[in-house]
Amino acid sequence: MSSTTMPQSSTPVVGFEVDTTSSTTDIFLSTVAENPGRPLVAKPDGDGWNELTAAEFLAEVKAVAKGLIALGVEVGDRIAIFGPTSYEWTLSDYAIWYAGGISVPFYDTSSESQLSWMLTDVDVTRGLVASREHADRVRAAAKAAGRDEPALRVWDDGAFADLAEAGKAVTDEELEAARSQVGSDSVATIIYTSGTTGKAKGCVLTHANFVQTAQAARHQIPSVLDTNMRCLLFLPQAHVFARFIEVLAISNGALLAHQSDLTKLTDAMGSFRPSFILGVPRVFEKVFNSALATAQTGGKEKIFRRAEQVAVAYSKALDTGKVPTALKLQHALFDKLVYSKLRAVMGGNVTHAVSGGGALGSHLGHFFRGLGIIVLEGYGLTETTAPITVNIPEKSKIGTVGVPLPGASVAIAPDGEILAKGAPVFREYWNNPEATAKEFHDGWFGTGDLGSLDDDGYLTINGRKKEIIVTSSGKNVAPAPLEDVLRRHPIIGQPVLVGENRKFVSALIFLDSEMLPGWLKNHDLPQMDLREAAEDDAVQAEVAKAVEQMNRTVSRAEGVKKFTILPIELSEENGYLSAKQSVKRHFINKDFAAEIDALYAG
């Protein structure tokens, strides 16, 4: 594979010098020194927030780090963090780094077998966990793996106060001696992949990966990541995307808050009033579908649909540089009637959002920009410390995932695979030199995703290499773009296209239990559970209509010929979705093989 013959896109480093020496705590200390009184982290406090200054947060980090050292933690020790997104998660992370350790995040939804594998593979002997229930799960997983129980400290049981007390005998000099042994090339964390295509692999990310990627992102989108940024983090912090934003906020002196309970997200947004949010595409789809359902309940679906059309048209007109006067007037009207209310739901202060972990789709991108919120799509993997590309606010191309960060490059291999190179790219897979060697080609990391580059170097994602469906007639079908269209329907939670080596493409439809009751009520239908809904004629007809509309966007060979509605919902808890809400197709294909065969019977 010759790099000279591949389409490539690179962004040069201009206007700053790459930091090749600092660790994450070096940058943290610089942030504190620059303005120790600046609010840096917000902790939930009743219906409001208690803001900690940079100096106050540093004091808490140092106290916990001293406690870890007092308990015997040494430089390079691997320490698990297991719990929901929270202030305690960020405190644990920075305390482990400050003590010279390596943090190993466990997903809150990890199964016993997944925990056993990670404990064994990375040899975790200590952990900071949220609750006794989390501790019990770790101990059960260790027992199942035939390992000694790790030494665990439980947040809910006063872990941090106990560690601070234990660390009083550790001097500042001893703490600094441990912290300063960690440099740019030291391992910061080992994050396990979600396992959507097989057994989870531990991605080794260094302090340089985080520091240099955060530095590059700050220069790529400076208008978003300024010191006035208020970020509400609600994605799982075990996921690299949320983790990167954690480091980015702390490094940049922004105010960081956390909320793991998505049922309280609207309240949290209202009280914290973030200026910046990040999410996976499913989050933005949920916002849209919830707004639509509210409009339907209030008998205002026609108004909402018209507002939706105007928002998309207005955004597209912005790309041409000329918005017709009539469209401006309509947009101003709907801003009062609809858009302002949607912005208010998100706290009324959000100007930008970053979407990653999958393709958002141009329709939703234009809708949110027409709403007054610029959604910057980016692209990356655990192996690229989250972003390798991101759109630039001043020159965003909706439908693409932007251009490489400064100092990074992407290329398109002859088979369409996206290759990546630069500061964000990880070092290796933990204890797995074969997998590492398999994914690197002449210095380029093979992402497993398919994409294309336009003349300006903007990247578009076309799907996963391993997910391409090849029908028996040889037609290649990328399922992701078609599934994105179907998922826009309120009652469709997850559509999964199938048809590998079959005569045509079919779809497994999994309904959205959260949106279904409102839809049934708005259509004067009785309430029903997922099993009843899967067999209901009206629901069947509605899904058929959504499939028909989707089919109009593709050729006959790519369209869905048959579908079946299955009476369960895909979730992290039942193992069918990853933490970033990606479908684990190998499990779907295995567990629903009979239903798939039935679609092709006869």
Side-chain angles (χ1 to χ4, degrees), residues 33-335:
E34 183 182 306
N35 188 350
R38 159 171 44 205
L40 194 63
V41 186
K43 297 169 67 172
D45 185 9
D47 293 331
W49 302 86
N50 175 27
E51 296 180 359
L52 274 67
T53 66
E56 289 169 336
F57 181 56
L58 174 61
E60 293 207 10
V61 167
K62 291 173 72 171
V64 176
K66 284 183 176 182
L68 293 173
I69 291 172
L71 294 182
V73 169
E74 297 181 350
V75 174
D77 281 1
R78 295 174 289 281
I79 303 171
I81 306 177
F82 189 28
T85 293
S86 58
Y87 168 78
E88 291 78 11
W89 215 111
T90 296
L91 175 59
S92 298
D93 208 12
Y94 271 87
I96 290 168
W97 284 338
Y98 216 100
I102 299 169
S103 45
V104 183
F106 292 168
Y107 284 106
D108 209 27
T109 54
S110 293
S111 67
E112 183 178 288
S113 62
Q114 289 170 327
L115 292 173
S116 294
W117 163 244
M118 290 186 286
L119 285 167
T120 302
D121 188 51
V122 82
D123 192 23
V124 168
T125 56
R126 297 180 186 277
L128 297 171
V129 303
S131 66
R132 293 183 184 182
E133 187 263 340
H134 286 87
D136 290 342
R137 287 168 62 190
V138 173
R139 292 181 182 119
K143 184 177 181 180
R147 295 176 52 84
D148 291 337
E149 288 186 3
L152 304 176
R153 293 283 168 153
V154 180
W155 304 343
D156 290 351
D157 290 346
F160 300 118
D162 291 345
L163 286 168
E165 183 65 30
K168 286 182 176 178
V170 177
T171 66
D172 288 343
E173 291 74 21
E174 288 173 311
L175 176 60
E176 180 59 21
R179 189 199 72 80
S180 61
Q181 287 185 57
V182 174
S184 182
D185 291 335
S186 301
V187 178
T189 188
I190 300 170
I191 304 179
Y192 279 78
T193 58
S194 58
T196 52
T197 57
K199 199 166 191 177
K201 300 187 289 286
C203 298
V204 176
L205 297 174
T206 65
H207 285 265
N209 284 136
F210 282 104
V211 169
Q212 293 177 26
T213 305
Q215 185 185 27
R218 190 162 59 247
H219 283 82
Q220 182 97 316
I221 49 176
S223 59
V224 181
L225 307 175
D226 61 23
T227 52
N228 296 316
M229 181 179 93
R230 299 171 64 88
C231 180
L232 180 63
L233 200 56
F234 51 85
L235 293 179
Q237 279 182 277
H239 188 270
V240 71
F241 190 17
R243 192 79 168 289
F244 168 73
I245 295 295
E246 168 204 298
V247 174
L248 185 65
I250 298 294
S251 302
N252 212 43
L255 184 61
L256 179 67
H258 309 75
Q259 176 56 263
S260 63
D261 187 347
L262 296 185
T263 65
K264 299 178 181 177
L265 183 57
T266 300
D267 291 339
M269 283 185 169
S271 60
F272 182 69
R273 302 189 70 241
S275 63
F276 166 88
I277 58 173
L278 73 153
V280 295
R282 191 62 182 142
V283 170
F284 297 100
E285 290 164 357
K286 283 280 190 182
V287 170
F288 175 84
N289 286 337
S290 295
L292 173 59
T294 300
Q296 290 172 333
T297 301
K300 297 179 179 179
E301 181 179 0
K302 285 186 177 180
I303 294 175
F304 181 88
R305 287 299 192 185
R306 183 57 189 154
E308 175 191 357
Q309 292 171 356
V310 168
V312 171
Y314 182 83
S315 176
K316 289 181 176 179
L318 289 175
D319 287 338
T320 69
K322 185 178 180 181
V323 181
T325 301
L327 184 56
K328 282 183 181 177
L329 292 172
Q330 290 180 70
H331 185 267
L333 172 63
F334 284 120
D335 191 67

Side-chain angles (χ1 to χ4, degrees), residues 506-509 539-541 543-544 547 560-565 599:
S506 295
L508 306 180
I509 303 294
V539 174
Q540 289 272 349
V543 172
V547 170
V560 169
K561 302 294 188 295
K562 297 176 73 174
F563 69 87
T564 184
I565 303 175
L599 286 167

